[in-house]
């Protein structure tokens, strides 16, 4: 069976060990806000440790259009994000995959 067409990108970025996330959080969120308001950053948030006691990275689902229509544009966004520029994310532990949300999940806030 062939894969469905990718309509989104899934970003998974693990944090570096030094824990600078809080220092750059406001800059990171301010930068993300217009993309979220435009609907191209569908959902984003921190990944948590197994015991849910700390944030260990970030996950984003991006609509594959406009500023995120290609993998190259997604990587440009990553490379200019405050978490990337200030070594919050471990640059060796970032992955982006074409993604198709096929399970009828609603990405709206509740």
């Amino acid at each position: 069976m062939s894969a469905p067409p990718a309509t989104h990108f899934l970003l998974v970025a693990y944090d570096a060990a030094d824990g600078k996330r809080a220092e750059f959080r406001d800059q990171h969120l301010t930068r993300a806000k217009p993309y979220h308001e435009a609907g191209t950053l569908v959902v984003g948030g921190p990944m948590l440790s197994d015991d849910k006691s700390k944030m260990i990275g970030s996950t984003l689902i991006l609509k594959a259009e406009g500023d995120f229509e290609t993998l190259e544009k997604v990587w440009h966004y990553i490379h200019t994000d405050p978490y990337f520029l200030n070594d919050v994310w471990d640059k060796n532990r970032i992955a982006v995959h074409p993604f198709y949300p096929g399970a009828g999940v609603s990405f709206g806030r509740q």
Side-chain angles (χ1 to χ4, degrees):
M1 175 176 11
S2 63
T7 58
H8 293 73
F9 289 101
L10 171 67
L11 162 67
V12 176
Y14 285 91
D15 287 356
D18 59 16
K20 297 191 305 186
R21 173 179 280 268
E23 183 179 347
F24 297 100
R25 185 172 186 268
D26 287 344
Q27 292 173 38
H28 170 75
L29 294 176
T30 297
R31 181 163 185 275
K33 185 177 181 178
Y35 297 100
H36 184 259
E37 289 173 346
T40 51
L41 194 166
V42 179
V43 66
M47 295 183 295
L48 304 177
S49 60
D50 289 342
D51 65 2
K52 302 176 188 162
S53 66
K54 69 177 199 168
M55 294 181 247
I56 61 166
S58 303
T59 301
L60 302 174
I61 296 178
L62 307 165
K63 199 178 278 187
E65 61 184 46
D67 289 323
F68 304 125
E69 69 185 342
T70 65
L71 191 57
E72 291 78 20
K73 287 184 174 189
V74 172
W75 278 107
H76 174 76
Y77 177 81
I78 293 166
H79 290 150
T80 56
D81 187 278
Y83 279 2
F84 185 90
L85 295 172
N86 294 287
D87 299 317
V88 173
W89 288 332
D90 179 339
K91 292 177 180 169
N92 295 312
R93 297 183 70 202
I94 300 172
V96 179
H97 299 281
F99 177 75
Y100 180 81
V105 174
S106 171
F107 290 116
R109 292 183 181 249
Q110 296 184 25

